[in-house]
mmCIF file of all heavy atoms in Angstrom:
data_model
loop_
_atom_site.group_PDB
_atom_site.id
_atom_site.type_symbol
_atom_site.label_atom_id
_atom_site.label_comp_id
_atom_site.label_asym_id
_atom_site.label_seq_id
_atom_site.Cartn_x
_atom_site.Cartn_y
_atom_site.Cartn_z
ATOM 1 N N GLY A 298 -24.824 49.718 184.830
ATOM 2 C CA GLY A 298 -26.201 49.245 184.847
ATOM 3 C C GLY A 298 -26.753 49.137 186.257
ATOM 4 O O GLY A 298 -27.915 49.487 186.509
ATOM 5 N N LEU A 299 -25.943 48.649 187.182
ATOM 6 C CA LEU A 299 -26.393 48.546 188.577
ATOM 7 C C LEU A 299 -26.656 49.926 189.168
ATOM 8 O O LEU A 299 -27.640 50.124 189.891
ATOM 9 C CB LEU A 299 -25.343 47.795 189.404
ATOM 10 C CG LEU A 299 -25.182 46.304 189.089
ATOM 11 C CD1 LEU A 299 -24.007 45.710 189.874
ATOM 12 C CD2 LEU A 299 -26.467 45.544 189.409
ATOM 13 N N VAL A 300 -25.772 50.868 188.856
ATOM 14 C CA VAL A 300 -25.970 52.232 189.383
ATOM 15 C C VAL A 300 -27.226 52.853 188.773
ATOM 16 O O VAL A 300 -28.047 53.481 189.484
ATOM 17 C CB VAL A 300 -24.734 53.104 189.082
ATOM 18 C CG1 VAL A 300 -25.026 54.570 189.410
ATOM 19 C CG2 VAL A 300 -23.539 52.615 189.876
ATOM 20 N N ALA A 301 -27.398 52.677 187.449
ATOM 21 C CA ALA A 301 -28.575 53.255 186.789
ATOM 22 C C ALA A 301 -29.863 52.644 187.329
ATOM 23 O O ALA A 301 -30.872 53.347 187.543
ATOM 24 C CB ALA A 301 -28.483 53.030 185.276
ATOM 25 N N GLY A 302 -29.886 51.362 187.559
ATOM 26 C CA GLY A 302 -31.069 50.729 188.127
ATOM 27 C C GLY A 302 -31.330 51.201 189.542
ATOM 28 O O GLY A 302 -32.494 51.371 189.953
ATOM 29 N N TRP A 303 -30.258 51.419 190.311
ATOM 30 C CA TRP A 303 -30.414 51.844 191.719
ATOM 31 C C TRP A 303 -31.008 53.247 191.827
ATOM 32 O O TRP A 303 -31.768 53.541 192.746
ATOM 33 C CB TRP A 303 -29.049 51.781 192.394
ATOM 34 C CG TRP A 303 -29.092 52.159 193.846
ATOM 35 C CD1 TRP A 303 -29.748 51.527 194.842
ATOM 36 C CD2 TRP A 303 -28.440 53.276 194.436
ATOM 37 N NE1 TRP A 303 -29.548 52.170 196.051
ATOM 38 C CE2 TRP A 303 -28.733 53.250 195.819
ATOM 39 C CE3 TRP A 303 -27.615 54.289 193.945
ATOM 40 C CZ2 TRP A 303 -28.255 54.212 196.706
ATOM 41 C CZ3 TRP A 303 -27.130 55.241 194.837
ATOM 42 C CH2 TRP A 303 -27.454 55.201 196.193
ATOM 43 N N ILE A 304 -30.655 54.123 190.850
ATOM 44 C CA ILE A 304 -31.170 55.497 190.904
ATOM 45 C C ILE A 304 -32.471 55.653 190.126
ATOM 46 O O ILE A 304 -32.977 56.781 189.967
ATOM 47 C CB ILE A 304 -30.123 56.502 190.380
ATOM 48 C CG1 ILE A 304 -29.789 56.231 188.919
ATOM 49 C CG2 ILE A 304 -28.870 56.463 191.245
ATOM 50 C CD1 ILE A 304 -28.807 57.244 188.308
ATOM 51 N N GLY A 305 -33.022 54.541 189.603
ATOM 52 C CA GLY A 305 -34.345 54.584 189.007
ATOM 53 C C GLY A 305 -34.388 54.857 187.528
ATOM 54 O O GLY A 305 -35.339 55.501 187.049
ATOM 55 N N HIS A 306 -33.402 54.397 186.740
ATOM 56 C CA HIS A 306 -33.397 54.556 185.289
ATOM 57 C C HIS A 306 -33.266 53.180 184.641
ATOM 58 O O HIS A 306 -32.187 52.787 184.159
ATOM 59 C CB HIS A 306 -32.240 55.456 184.836
ATOM 60 C CG HIS A 306 -32.377 56.873 185.283
ATOM 61 N ND1 HIS A 306 -33.230 57.771 184.670
ATOM 62 C CD2 HIS A 306 -31.789 57.541 186.306
ATOM 63 C CE1 HIS A 306 -33.142 58.949 185.269
ATOM 64 N NE2 HIS A 306 -32.281 58.832 186.287
ATOM 65 N N PRO A 307 -34.360 52.405 184.614
ATOM 66 C CA PRO A 307 -34.285 51.025 184.112
ATOM 67 C C PRO A 307 -33.882 50.924 182.646
ATOM 68 O O PRO A 307 -33.212 49.965 182.256
ATOM 69 C CB PRO A 307 -35.704 50.501 184.342
ATOM 70 C CG PRO A 307 -36.566 51.722 184.427
ATOM 71 C CD PRO A 307 -35.722 52.783 185.037
ATOM 72 N N ILE A 308 -34.293 51.866 181.818
ATOM 73 C CA ILE A 308 -33.946 51.805 180.396
ATOM 74 C C ILE A 308 -32.427 51.939 180.221
ATOM 75 O O ILE A 308 -31.782 51.181 179.481
ATOM 76 C CB ILE A 308 -34.687 52.896 179.601
ATOM 77 C CG1 ILE A 308 -36.205 52.656 179.653
ATOM 78 C CG2 ILE A 308 -34.189 52.940 178.156
ATOM 79 C CD1 ILE A 308 -37.022 53.711 178.936
ATOM 80 N N TRP A 309 -31.840 52.926 180.928
ATOM 81 C CA TRP A 309 -30.382 53.096 180.877
ATOM 82 C C TRP A 309 -29.677 51.868 181.472
ATOM 83 O O TRP A 309 -28.617 51.448 180.981
ATOM 84 C CB TRP A 309 -29.963 54.349 181.635
ATOM 85 C CG TRP A 309 -30.073 55.600 180.811
ATOM 86 C CD1 TRP A 309 -31.045 56.557 180.872
ATOM 87 C CD2 TRP A 309 -29.174 55.989 179.780
ATOM 88 N NE1 TRP A 309 -30.829 57.528 179.953
ATOM 89 C CE2 TRP A 309 -29.668 57.218 179.259
ATOM 90 C CE3 TRP A 309 -28.027 55.442 179.225
ATOM 91 C CZ2 TRP A 309 -29.034 57.889 178.219
ATOM 92 C CZ3 TRP A 309 -27.376 56.109 178.202
ATOM 93 C CH2 TRP A 309 -27.882 57.323 177.702
ATOM 94 N N ALA A 310 -30.260 51.327 182.524
ATOM 95 C CA ALA A 310 -29.660 50.134 183.149
ATOM 96 C C ALA A 310 -29.593 48.983 182.158
ATOM 97 O O ALA A 310 -28.549 48.320 182.008
ATOM 98 C CB ALA A 310 -30.456 49.734 184.388
ATOM 99 N N ASP A 311 -30.711 48.724 181.456
ATOM 100 C CA ASP A 311 -30.725 47.635 180.478
ATOM 101 C C ASP A 311 -29.735 47.898 179.341
ATOM 102 O O ASP A 311 -29.038 46.987 178.880
ATOM 103 C CB ASP A 311 -32.143 47.480 179.902
ATOM 104 C CG ASP A 311 -33.124 46.918 180.928
ATOM 105 O OD1 ASP A 311 -32.656 46.417 181.972
ATOM 106 O OD2 ASP A 311 -34.339 46.987 180.679
ATOM 107 N N ALA A 312 -29.669 49.156 178.894
ATOM 108 C CA ALA A 312 -28.768 49.498 177.789
ATOM 109 C C ALA A 312 -27.306 49.270 178.177
ATOM 110 O O ALA A 312 -26.508 48.727 177.394
ATOM 111 C CB ALA A 312 -28.986 50.950 177.359
ATOM 112 N N LEU A 313 -26.944 49.690 179.394
ATOM 113 C CA LEU A 313 -25.561 49.527 179.839
ATOM 114 C C LEU A 313 -25.210 48.051 180.037
ATOM 115 O O LEU A 313 -24.105 47.599 179.686
ATOM 116 C CB LEU A 313 -25.337 50.303 181.140
ATOM 117 C CG LEU A 313 -25.317 51.834 180.983
ATOM 118 C CD1 LEU A 313 -25.365 52.518 182.340
ATOM 119 C CD2 LEU A 313 -24.051 52.266 180.225
ATOM 120 N N LEU A 314 -26.141 47.281 180.595
ATOM 121 C CA LEU A 314 -25.890 45.853 180.785
ATOM 122 C C LEU A 314 -25.732 45.150 179.443
ATOM 123 O O LEU A 314 -24.855 44.289 179.273
ATOM 124 C CB LEU A 314 -27.035 45.224 181.582
ATOM 125 C CG LEU A 314 -27.150 45.669 183.047
ATOM 126 C CD1 LEU A 314 -28.436 45.143 183.669
ATOM 127 C CD2 LEU A 314 -25.939 45.178 183.850
ATOM 128 N N LEU A 315 -26.571 45.509 178.475
ATOM 129 C CA LEU A 315 -26.447 44.929 177.142
ATOM 130 C C LEU A 315 -25.144 45.339 176.473
ATOM 131 O O LEU A 315 -24.489 44.523 175.802
ATOM 132 C CB LEU A 315 -27.623 45.390 176.278
ATOM 133 C CG LEU A 315 -28.894 44.542 176.336
ATOM 134 C CD1 LEU A 315 -30.006 45.208 175.531
ATOM 135 C CD2 LEU A 315 -28.626 43.134 175.806
ATOM 136 N N ALA A 316 -24.743 46.593 176.656
ATOM 137 C CA ALA A 316 -23.502 47.081 176.047
ATOM 138 C C ALA A 316 -22.289 46.298 176.543
ATOM 139 O O ALA A 316 -21.297 46.132 175.817
ATOM 140 C CB ALA A 316 -23.327 48.570 176.340
ATOM 141 N N GLY A 317 -22.365 45.819 177.770
ATOM 142 C CA GLY A 317 -21.269 45.024 178.305
ATOM 143 C C GLY A 317 -21.334 43.570 177.890
ATOM 144 O O GLY A 317 -20.302 42.937 177.624
ATOM 145 N N ALA A 318 -22.550 43.007 177.819
ATOM 146 C CA ALA A 318 -22.696 41.577 177.568
ATOM 147 C C ALA A 318 -22.614 41.211 176.093
ATOM 148 O O ALA A 318 -22.050 40.156 175.734
ATOM 149 C CB ALA A 318 -24.026 41.084 178.138
ATOM 150 N N VAL A 319 -23.162 42.034 175.198
ATOM 151 C CA VAL A 319 -23.233 41.684 173.788
ATOM 152 C C VAL A 319 -21.850 41.497 173.144
ATOM 153 O O VAL A 319 -21.636 40.519 172.406
ATOM 154 C CB VAL A 319 -24.065 42.731 173.011
ATOM 155 C CG1 VAL A 319 -23.929 42.521 171.496
ATOM 156 C CG2 VAL A 319 -25.538 42.638 173.415
ATOM 157 N N PRO A 320 -20.857 42.410 173.375
ATOM 158 C CA PRO A 320 -19.534 42.169 172.772
ATOM 159 C C PRO A 320 -18.914 40.841 173.205
ATOM 160 O O PRO A 320 -18.268 40.160 172.402
ATOM 161 C CB PRO A 320 -18.697 43.354 173.263
ATOM 162 C CG PRO A 320 -19.696 44.422 173.538
ATOM 163 C CD PRO A 320 -20.902 43.710 174.069
ATOM 164 N N VAL A 321 -19.104 40.462 174.475
ATOM 165 C CA VAL A 321 -18.589 39.178 174.950
ATOM 166 C C VAL A 321 -19.304 38.042 174.233
ATOM 167 O O VAL A 321 -18.680 37.052 173.829
ATOM 168 C CB VAL A 321 -18.758 39.053 176.483
ATOM 169 C CG1 VAL A 321 -18.314 37.672 176.956
ATOM 170 C CG2 VAL A 321 -17.965 40.134 177.189
ATOM 171 N N LEU A 322 -20.629 38.173 174.060
ATOM 172 C CA LEU A 322 -21.395 37.152 173.352
ATOM 173 C C LEU A 322 -20.890 36.975 171.930
ATOM 174 O O LEU A 322 -20.702 35.840 171.465
ATOM 175 C CB LEU A 322 -22.876 37.541 173.336
ATOM 176 C CG LEU A 322 -23.806 36.609 172.547
ATOM 177 C CD1 LEU A 322 -23.844 35.233 173.191
ATOM 178 C CD2 LEU A 322 -25.222 37.208 172.462
ATOM 179 N N VAL A 323 -20.634 38.078 171.226
ATOM 180 C CA VAL A 323 -20.134 38.008 169.847
ATOM 181 C C VAL A 323 -18.774 37.309 169.798
ATOM 182 O O VAL A 323 -18.522 36.450 168.943
ATOM 183 C CB VAL A 323 -20.033 39.423 169.243
ATOM 184 C CG1 VAL A 323 -19.348 39.374 167.868
ATOM 185 C CG2 VAL A 323 -21.424 40.050 169.116
ATOM 186 N N ALA A 324 -17.883 37.677 170.741
ATOM 187 C CA ALA A 324 -16.556 37.062 170.770
ATOM 188 C C ALA A 324 -16.641 35.572 171.042
ATOM 189 O O ALA A 324 -15.928 34.769 170.410
ATOM 190 C CB ALA A 324 -15.690 37.746 171.842
ATOM 191 N N VAL A 325 -17.539 35.166 171.947
ATOM 192 C CA VAL A 325 -17.677 33.749 172.270
ATOM 193 C C VAL A 325 -18.283 32.985 171.102
ATOM 194 O O VAL A 325 -17.907 31.831 170.834
ATOM 195 C CB VAL A 325 -18.522 33.566 173.545
ATOM 196 C CG1 VAL A 325 -18.748 32.087 173.828
ATOM 197 C CG2 VAL A 325 -17.845 34.217 174.725
ATOM 198 N N VAL A 326 -19.219 33.609 170.384
ATOM 199 C CA VAL A 326 -19.807 32.963 169.202
ATOM 200 C C VAL A 326 -18.721 32.665 168.170
ATOM 201 O O VAL A 326 -18.651 31.557 167.607
ATOM 202 C CB VAL A 326 -20.907 33.851 168.593
ATOM 203 C CG1 VAL A 326 -21.302 33.338 167.210
ATOM 204 C CG2 VAL A 326 -22.131 33.881 169.495
#
């Protein structure tokens, strides 16, 4: 996500960040 945001692809950046955070959120729930 950081790399995608740095090269100017905010949609991909958000998708990658969500892909990493959501599984952790589900496990913690």
Side-chain angles (χ1 to χ4, degrees):
L299 291 174
V300 170
W303 182 63
I304 62 177
H306 293 283
I308 296 178
W309 276 103
D311 290 346
L313 289 169
L314 292 172
L315 272 174
V319 169
V321 176
L322 176 65
V323 173
V325 176
V326 168

